[in-house]
Amino acid sequence: MMVSFCQGALLLGLAAAMAVYADMKVDCGPDVVTLMWTESRPQADTSLLRLGSCFPTSFSAGEAYFYVDLTDCNFRRLVTGDALVYSNDLTYVASADSYNLAFTHPVVCAYERPKDWYATIYDPVFKTYSLGDLQFNIGLMNDDFSGPAESTRFPLGSIIPIMASVVQKTHQPLLLLLEECVAATTPELYPESTMYPIISNKGCLLESVSSRSKFEPRQKSSEIRLSLQTFTFAMGEEVFIHCKLLAWDPNGLDSTKKACHFVEGHGWELLDNLAQSNLCDCCESKCKSRRQRSVASEKHGMVQKAVIGPFTITDVNS
């Protein structure tokens, strides 16, 4: 059994049944896993090794090397007590005419659970994305946002609770915003995709104008909660919501960095400071930045695309 140590991580029980014809070394980093497989059988084809869904990063006649993110390769994630565990399988896909048998070896990395880590983000209804030293999470929640959604079927007119968050490692405090969200029937957007706009114009919740949709009061700046009333779109089909998440300087809000919703009798209001609701005035027209620039490359924040779903909107009369 190979056991290796690295800063903040411990490799557990990797290959108890590993045969003497090979050697596997694994290093569990904070965000990536490196795995080196050394093969002694001369007829073994190391290009046929797979770590989950990933091909080798590089390979030679006797070695295969993997350098992969924990968010790739279909790593499974589990929170148990104070541990955060990532597991996967290293497999050898033998060809039909090969003398070498196919095999599978478990690969497990265990980390100390961060104090501000939400166990619920590892439920299948959540998605996790890494960008630099930031980790974005988004998913469907239950009615009071205390845990993951218990169902992915929502009757027309009901509320879909959505929560997004950003985990900050060595970054300055950031404010999380939903810059844009559209519904579609595909997990990826294409030019011909049929889309239903939900949030547009740099943070304006369009659905709040004609429904009960709204941003909920913040519990923390790195988290944003949306109560979205279901709408007539792709009834009975799988629906995906595509969003742009923006982690931004809390002191740098402007007409293009904001979270605005429409409140009946009051008009457009800014979620984070009612006194600055004039930043939402452009929601009725076009919200423009004072100058063109790439947000993702700025020191004040980063943008991450994310997808929620699938879920289904059902007809209450059917």
Side-chain angles (χ1 to χ4, degrees), residues 5 19 37 39 44 106 248 285 306 310:
F5 293 87
W37 177 271
E39 178 66 60
W248 194 253
S285 54

Side-chain angles (χ1 to χ4, degrees), residues 27-318:
D27 181 19
C28 302
D31 302 299
V32 299
V33 173
T34 57
L35 185 151
M36 176 65 77
W37 177 271
T38 304
E39 178 66 60
S40 62
R41 296 172 298 174
Q43 295 180 338
D45 184 354
T46 55
S47 69
L48 298 178
L49 285 164
R50 304 287 184 269
L51 179 56
S53 60
C54 289
F55 289 71
T57 305
S58 63
F59 60 88
S60 63
E63 291 183 336
Y65 175 72
F66 294 85
Y67 182 86
V68 299
D69 289 339
L70 285 167
T71 54
D72 294 334
C73 309
N74 292 330
F75 269 92
R76 299 176 293 275
R77 293 162 296 190
L78 177 67
V79 175
T80 57
D82 293 329
L84 174 62
V85 181
Y86 289 80
S87 62
N88 212 328
D89 295 301
L90 180 74
T91 58
Y92 182 80
V93 186
S95 57
D97 58 350
S98 174
Y99 291 101
N100 298 305
L101 298 177
F103 62 78
T104 299
H105 287 312
V107 176
V108 181
C109 288
Y111 302 82
E112 182 180 356
R113 179 183 175 183
K115 294 180 180 179
D116 59 350
W117 200 277
Y118 285 98
T120 54
I121 66 175
Y122 297 104
D123 191 89
V125 299
F126 268 80
K127 301 290 177 63
T128 302
Y129 306 84
S130 293
L131 181 64
D133 62 349
L134 301 180
Q135 182 167 284
F136 294 85
N137 310 291
I138 190 167
L140 306 175
M141 302 295 291
N142 59 13
D143 291 342
D144 61 0
F145 292 90
S146 62
E150 298 176 358
S151 173
T152 55
R153 296 178 64 84
F154 298 91
L156 182 63
S158 65
I159 296 296
I160 304 176
I162 297 171
M163 186 177 77
S165 63
V166 59
V167 177
Q168 302 156 218
K169 298 176 183 177
T170 58
H171 212 286
Q172 65 180 12
L174 292 171
L175 185 73
L176 186 65
L177 302 168
L178 292 173
E179 185 177 75
E180 177 183 294
C181 290
V182 298
T185 55
T186 54
E188 296 184 11
L189 291 179
Y190 304 98
E192 65 273 16
S193 295
T194 301
M195 293 178 283
Y196 184 97
I198 298 170
I199 299 174
S200 68
N201 216 355
K202 304 294 184 179
C204 300
L205 179 55
L206 301 181
E207 275 298 289
S208 63
V209 175
S210 58
S211 74
R212 294 183 289 133
S213 299
K214 62 179 180 178
F215 290 115
E216 298 291 347
R218 288 191 191 269
Q219 304 300 307
K220 56 176 68 175
S221 65
S222 60
E223 178 183 290
I224 189 166
R225 299 179 177 187
L226 169 64
S227 290
L228 178 66
Q229 186 174 10
T230 51
F231 38 85
T232 305
F233 175 78
M235 303 292 292
E237 300 180 42
E238 286 191 341
V239 175
F240 300 82
I241 295 180
H242 300 257
C243 293
K244 287 183 181 179
L245 308 179
L246 172 61
W248 194 253
D249 180 354
N251 299 316
L253 294 181
D254 60 29
S255 60
T256 63
K257 314 293 185 303
K258 63 189 187 303
C260 298
H261 54 196
F262 189 87
V263 178
E264 188 174 359
H266 296 273
W268 288 97
E269 292 186 353
L270 186 68
L271 170 64
D272 296 293
N273 188 346
L274 288 178
Q276 289 186 285
S277 291
N278 63 303
L279 296 179
C280 303
D281 291 347
C282 62
C283 287
E284 297 290 346
S285 54
K286 179 73 173 177
C287 297
K288 298 179 180 180
S289 177
R290 283 176 289 184
R291 62 185 182 191
Q292 295 296 320
R293 56 193 181 184
S294 174
V295 174
S297 65
E298 289 194 22
K299 64 181 179 179
H300 295 294
M302 291 186 176
V303 171
Q304 174 65 54
K305 293 182 179 180
V307 183
I308 311 167
F311 62 90
T312 306
I313 301 173
T314 60
D315 189 343
V316 293
N317 297 319
S318 61

